[in-house]
Amino acid sequence: GKGVEKDEKKELYHMEEAAIGGHPDARYNLACYEGRKRRHDRAVKHFSIAAAQGFDESIKLLLTMFTDGRLVNYSKDILAAALRAYQAAVDAT
């Protein structure tokens, strides 16, 4: 907020705690953070977990990353597994 010093370590800690607690939006935010840091392995894992929780934006961004070549070194099996998990989560709701 305004007038408050930003503490990235504390922000990351709380995002991780929320993600561990099952909040898919926090998991998605962690994935975006890791992606910005160019830690694609971690980003893919977080996106996949959020997708398995039925989080739409996560599967969309994961698909985009595969199609635009950012994840060229990754197996399409990872994407297929994320898509299956996402569909199962959506079907369960």
Side-chain angles (χ1 to χ4, degrees):
K2 282 187 174 182
V4 177
E5 192 174 317
K6 186 170 178 142
D7 185 340
E8 190 173 318
K9 280 185 178 182
K10 193 177 275 190
E11 176 185 10
L12 187 58
Y13 168 79
H14 288 293
M15 272 197 298
E16 289 171 345
E17 288 294 308
I20 291 166
H23 295 278
D25 51 340
R27 187 67 71 174
Y28 173 82
N29 288 336
L30 274 175
C32 292
Y33 171 82
E34 296 294 357
R36 283 191 301 274
K37 298 289 186 179
R38 304 279 188 242
R39 294 189 287 241
H40 295 297
D41 285 343
R42 293 176 65 106
V44 167
K45 287 178 186 175
H46 288 303
F47 280 133
S48 296
I49 293 168
Q53 294 173 318
F55 198 71
D56 293 335
E57 291 304 313
S58 186
I59 197 68
K60 289 177 188 175
L61 195 49
L62 196 54
L63 281 166
T64 299
M65 290 173 74
F66 267 94
T67 57
D68 72 8
R70 280 183 272 176
L71 301 178
V72 71
N73 296 326
Y74 291 80
S75 166
K76 293 202 182 208
D77 293 340
I78 293 169
L79 178 60
L83 285 167
R84 284 192 301 275
Y86 172 74
Q87 191 60 53
V90 169
D91 291 346
T93 57

